[in-house]
Structures are given as C-alpha cells and as structure tokens.
Amino acid sequence: MAFETTATIATFGGKLLKLAHQSKTTTTKMSANLFLPHSASTSSPAPLLLYLAGLTCTPDNGAEKGFLHATASKHGIAILYPDTSPRGLDYPTENDAYDFGSGAGFYIDATAEPWSKGYKMESYITEELLGAVKSQFKEVDTSKASITGHSMGGHGALTLFLRHPGLFKSVSAFAPICNPSNCPWGQKAFSGYIGEDKSKWAEHDATELISKYDGETDILIDVGTGDNFYKQGQLLPEKFEEAAKKAGKKVKVRYQEGYDHSYYFISSFAQDHVEHAAKYLKA
C-alpha cells in the first residue's frame, strides 16, 4: 500500500517526510521518516542511507537528534528511518519490557509464536519498505543504498549487511550489539523470537556471520568508553573485532574516550558515518 505523507518539514535545504503505510509483512500500520536532499529529483535520484534506531526508539529519534542531515545534504544522500518494531499487535507481554516486544524488534524475522505472525522486521525492511520507497519515490535510487544504525539498530545494520550480500554498498554502526548470542539483551530477544536453538541465533549474530561473509568489507564502528552498556558487556565489539581479524575482514572499531550511549554520542560522529557511506554511494 502506498505511503501517506503526514508531515513535510524543511531541514538543511531539503525536506523530511513523515510517512505511514499499511504493511502486509507486519500486518500493522508502519511509520517511517524519509529525508530528501534538495538535489534529489526524478532525473537525478539520490542514493539512500538507512538508519536503524535502537531499543525503545521510533523513526523520529534519529531524524530529530542524529544530526545526519547536514552531511547528507552536502553529498546529496537521502536517509530512510524505519520504525523498530510493529506497533499495536497486543501480543501477551508485548508491552511489558523495553528490551523485548514493542520498540524492540531486533531487525529479525521471528519464528516462535505468536511473534512470527507480525514481528518480521528483516523482511519488512529489506523487501517491503525498500520496495515501497522504490515504487513511490522516483527521486530516490534504492539500488544505491548503504546502512547504519545505533545499538540494537547497529546490530541490525551489521547483520542485514552480512545476511544480504549486495543489497547495501556499505555499513557502519554506532555502539552496536555485536555478539547478541552472548549478551543479556540478545539472549532475551533471541529466546523469545527464535526459541532456544542457538544454532539459529548464530544466523542473526554479526560476530558469527562475519567469518562466513564471502566478500570484502570496510566496516566502521564507534563505541564510547563511557557507555554503560559497553561496560556491562551488552555490546561486545571486541568479539566482533576478533572474529573479523581471524576471517581477514576489514573492520575499524574506534573507542571514543568518555562518550556514552546517547544521541550526544551519535551526533558527535554522525558526519563520519555519512561520509563513510558517501564513499560507496557516490563511487
């Protein structure tokens, strides 16, 4: 179903469109934000950067606080901000915790009941959402797409890049959950959405996937040393680094002194991540 544009907001010479549509994949109404730079047109469509948000977030968080639009405007890049889960399915326990259910889809297709009926965020983003943007917004070139994300969205960015070779030109992440099979957030989500078969967990774990990826990589990751979730072992970027090094894959993890997990951190390094995507989107 086509998008409804519920608001148009001027930003950095371009415009941010607030969108909504009925999703066949999730069986719910889904929202998204789309930034279009001033240079985007049907005759000169803009390449696309996807930004996947973290736990509890909506499409508004990154758009309002990520400070991505200035650099995206400079390079003529569109940015798509999807939601983090279906909304309003009213499954038992769906709204009981911040780290599972509503606002916490983990960018996977659930296989355990009842979640498998609507929590299909991987298929929603990689197939339905990108397909809908391609169909309706001719000023966006979805064949030239990169992906980034924060925390749970960083996990999503890494895994969707690694699981769908060729779909994205590049990937980067802010404080991603790099090894969800071995951290409390990931173990809770995977147990609920997938079940207890840990071999299935590995299919959605960037640290496991990097060694199986058949292609070159140039992955940029930023993590703040003052990030409490990093200190608690929720992110485990060192595990991803180790696996990438062993597999001979190029991964650059920058440990940013004193930075936390917030949008102050994201906005501080947003320019670098858009520039990273631009290298590949404009090549």
Side-chain angles (χ1 to χ4, degrees):
M1 183 177 290
F3 290 108
E4 172 193 4
T5 301
T6 61
T8 302
I9 301 167
T11 172
F12 286 96
K15 56 187 177 181
L16 183 75
L17 306 180
K18 291 187 175 294
L19 307 174
H21 72 139
Q22 184 65 35
S23 167
K24 293 181 180 179
T25 307
T26 68
T27 73
T28 65
K29 190 172 185 178
M30 296 293 289
S31 59
N33 286 339
L34 177 63
F35 169 73
L36 296 173
H38 68 279
S39 59
S41 68
T42 55
S43 60
S44 182
L48 181 66
L49 175 62
L50 271 74
Y51 173 90
L52 304 184
L55 292 166
T56 76
C57 289
T58 72
D60 293 337
N61 295 82
E64 293 176 359
K65 299 186 289 185
F67 284 78
L68 302 167
H69 298 162
T71 309
S73 180
K74 172 185 172 184
H75 288 286
I77 295 172
I79 306 179
L80 179 62
Y81 302 89
D83 206 346
T84 51
S85 79
R87 307 279 175 173
L89 287 168
D90 295 325
Y91 295 154
T93 75
E94 184 180 23
N95 300 305
D96 289 357
Y98 81 96
D99 55 358
F100 185 80
S102 184
F106 268 81
Y107 305 102
I108 64 175
D109 286 355
T111 56
E113 295 294 333
W115 311 98
S116 60
K117 297 174 183 176
Y119 275 66
K120 300 176 181 178
M121 290 301 293
E122 179 173 8
S123 291
Y124 170 70
I125 288 171
T126 60
E127 297 172 16
E128 185 177 14
L129 182 61
L130 283 176
V133 170
K134 178 181 180 181
S135 176
Q136 188 165 338
F137 295 98
K138 302 302 183 183
E139 60 267 62
V140 177
D141 185 356
T142 58
S143 71
K144 294 180 180 179
S146 287
I147 192 166
T148 189
H150 172 231
S151 194
M152 177 185 72
H155 145 77
L158 294 173
T159 57
L160 296 186
F161 175 86
L162 295 169
R163 283 174 56 82
H164 299 270
L167 184 60
F168 301 108
K169 302 295 185 184
S170 68
V171 62
S172 69
F174 302 87
I177 303 171
C178 292
N179 190 197
S181 298
N182 290 308
C183 76
W185 275 340
Q187 290 165 348
K188 179 177 181 178
F190 287 179
S191 294
Y193 294 136
I194 300 173
E196 297 303 328
D197 183 351
K198 294 187 178 181
S199 68
K200 299 297 184 182
W201 295 9
E203 297 174 8
H204 302 278
D205 187 317
T207 296
E208 300 290 337
L209 290 168
I210 189 69
S211 62
K212 302 176 179 66
Y213 184 74
D214 185 20
E216 295 182 0
T217 62
D218 180 15
I219 300 174
L220 172 64
I221 294 173
D222 279 310
V223 181
T225 62
D227 186 327
N228 284 333
F229 298 119
Y230 167 59
K231 295 176 183 178
Q232 293 165 10
Q234 294 279 24
L235 309 181
L236 302 175
E238 63 278 3
K239 296 293 186 182
F240 185 67
E241 276 189 290
E242 291 169 11
K245 184 177 181 180
K246 187 175 181 180
K249 303 299 181 183
K250 183 180 178 182
V251 172
K252 184 175 185 179
V253 181
R254 307 189 303 187
Y255 294 91
Q256 304 291 0
E257 185 65 31
Y259 282 87
D260 61 17
H261 200 71
S262 73
Y263 276 87
Y264 293 110
F265 158 66
I266 296 170
S267 61
S268 296
F269 302 101
Q271 178 177 339
D272 293 350
H273 287 250
V274 178
E275 297 275 6
H276 179 77
K279 285 191 303 183
Y280 295 91
L281 294 176
K282 299 175 71 177

